[in-house]
């Protein structure tokens, strides 16, 4: 939504630095928070007896444990790492602090509301997060021209506001937690870490890897092409998010009538959405984005093939993980 404004306010090297450190920091979420999503959906959607206790374990983890633990790591980073991959340590520290707060809304709050089909709370959380992120970036990066510092400060502000809203709207259930609930959470989520890490690698690994061997300007052009291609990925991911509660209630052998319809729509979307995005970039890209980024359009076309494969990949993974 804000890419046209960003392209006229940040040079490719600045955009490369911002995208690279955001992608690197998101690895933390992919490993320590994202594997909980499937269990959060199951516990909230199925209404089983141990659901409230499991939600309490995961809610405390996302609301309290992660922000504190990641904050301590960020403090150590500020003290002992002056620079990494061409970006100063204090910038990394701010971005890592933002990542510590983000799972409260993005992993726990939004997914609980989605699984419970609580549209009001879901709309409040999602719209607030999007609006605060967009407005803060427009003010700090475009309006105040703060560059990479404005980018990470915007991430931190939006993460804190979203976390506070999630805490107020999605309360942690009052339930007795026993050691077996914690063990079950670990047994369920730890095997999903490679799955979450692979999704992160598919979407984000190229940027920090390229920053290690190339200039930040090249990283910026690659990142811009990725951002345009991920418009298709965003649509496919949100379509998949909408049907996940149905997969959670599926019985085997599958597919039954409960999920056969969504599977057909997802197959169609996986092929058609990337094609529409590619046509849109080819037709309107030079009218919307700054000239310094035009060379990234070719990359977008190639990367959209990967987004189509990603859309197809989500379907069998829904059956395996839900």
């Amino acid at each position: 939504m804000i890419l046209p404004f960003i392209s006229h306010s940040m040079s490719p090297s600045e955009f490369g630095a911002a995208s690279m450190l955001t992608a690197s920091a998101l690895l933390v979420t992919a490993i320590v928070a994202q594997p909980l999503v499937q269990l959060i959906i199951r516990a909230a959607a199925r209404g089983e007896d141990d659901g409230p206790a499991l939600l309490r374990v995961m809610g405390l983890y996302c609301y309290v444990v992660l922000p504190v633990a990641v904050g301590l790591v960020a403090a150590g980073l500020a003290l002992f790492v002056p620079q990494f991959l061409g970006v100063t340590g204090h910038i990394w520290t701010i971005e890592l602090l933002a990542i510590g707060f983000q799972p409260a809304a993005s992993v726990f709050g939004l997914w609980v509301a989605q699984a419970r089909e609580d549209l009001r709370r879901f709309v409040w959380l999602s719209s607030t997060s999007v609006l605060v992120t967009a407005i803060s970036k427009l003010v700090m990066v475009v309006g105040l021209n703060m560059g990479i510092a404005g980018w990470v400060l915007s991430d931190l502000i939006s993460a804190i506001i979203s976390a506070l809203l999630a805490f107020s709207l999605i309360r942690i259930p009052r339930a007795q937690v026993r050691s077996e609930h914690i063990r079950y959470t670990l047994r369920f989520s730890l095997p999903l870490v490679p799955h979450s890490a692979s999704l992160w690698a598919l979407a984000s690994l190229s940027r920090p890897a390229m920053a290690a061997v190339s200039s930040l300007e090249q990283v910026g052009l690659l990142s811009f092409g990725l951002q345009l291609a991920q418009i298709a990925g965003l649509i496919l991911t949100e379509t998949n998010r909408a049907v996940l509660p149905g997969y959670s209630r599926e019985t085997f052998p599958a597919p039954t009538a409960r999920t056969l319809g969504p599977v057909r729509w997802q197959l169609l979307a996986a092929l058609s959405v990337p094609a529409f995005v590619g046509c849109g970039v080819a037709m309107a890209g030079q009218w919307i984005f700054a000239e310094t980024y035009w060379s990234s359009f070719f990359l977008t076309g190639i990367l959209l093939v990967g987004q189509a494969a990603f859309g197809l990949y989500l379907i069998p993974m829904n059956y395996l993980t839900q």
Side-chain angles (χ1 to χ4, degrees), residues 236-248:
L236 294 174
T237 299
E238 292 305 312
T239 301
N240 188 66
R241 177 197 289 264
V243 298
L244 277 181
Y247 281 100
S248 293

Side-chain angles (χ1 to χ4, degrees), residues 64-292:
V64 180
V65 175
L66 268 183
V68 173
V70 175
L72 292 174
V73 173
L77 188 69
L79 292 174
F80 301 110
V81 181
Q83 189 176 35
F84 182 62
L85 294 178
V87 179
T88 58
H90 75 276
I91 295 292
W92 280 102
T93 299
I94 297 171
E95 185 63 29
L96 194 57
L97 285 172
I99 291 297
F101 284 103
Q102 284 177 359
S106 64
V107 173
F108 187 76
L110 281 172
W111 283 111
V112 170
Q114 173 91 34
R116 291 174 175 171
E117 299 179 345
D118 189 338
L119 182 61
R120 182 178 65 85
R121 286 182 170 84
F122 180 83
V123 170
W124 265 104
L125 273 174
S126 58
S127 60
T128 299
S129 178
V130 170
L131 287 174
V132 171
T133 300
I135 292 172
S136 60
K137 277 189 168 51
L138 287 174
V139 170
M140 294 184 175
V141 177
V142 179
L144 299 179
N145 199 26
M146 294 175 64
I148 185 65
W151 184 281
V152 294
L153 284 172
S154 166
D155 287 345
L156 180 59
I157 291 170
S158 62
I160 292 174
I161 292 175
S162 297
L164 292 174
L165 184 61
F167 185 77
S168 65
L169 292 178
I170 309 297
R171 294 290 187 175
I172 298 175
R174 294 183 178 273
Q176 183 179 4
V177 175
R178 298 187 297 273
S179 59
E180 56 260 33
H181 294 126
I182 299 175
R183 289 197 298 269
Y184 181 81
T185 301
L186 292 173
R187 286 199 307 269
F188 188 98
S189 58
L190 287 179
L192 295 176
V193 170
H195 167 63
S196 298
S198 67
L199 291 180
W200 171 85
L202 177 66
S204 304
L205 177 60
S206 57
R207 280 165 277 186
M210 192 172 183
V213 297
S214 186
S215 67
L216 287 177
E217 181 179 2
Q218 291 299 309
V219 177
L221 293 174
L222 172 65
S223 300
F224 200 82
L226 278 168
Q227 290 287 330
L228 293 177
Q230 285 176 352
I231 295 172
L234 176 64
I235 296 172
L236 294 174
T237 299
E238 292 305 312
T239 301
N240 188 66
R241 177 197 289 264
V243 298
L244 277 181
Y247 281 100
S248 293
R249 300 184 184 101
E250 178 64 287
T251 57
F252 286 90
T256 66
R258 183 185 298 276
T259 57
L260 188 58
V263 165
R264 290 170 176 165
W265 281 108
Q266 285 183 276
L267 288 172
L268 178 62
L271 300 177
S272 60
V273 170
F276 282 122
V277 172
C279 291
V281 171
M283 295 173 61
Q286 294 186 358
W287 296 90
I288 299 174
F289 303 109
E291 185 176 355
T292 51

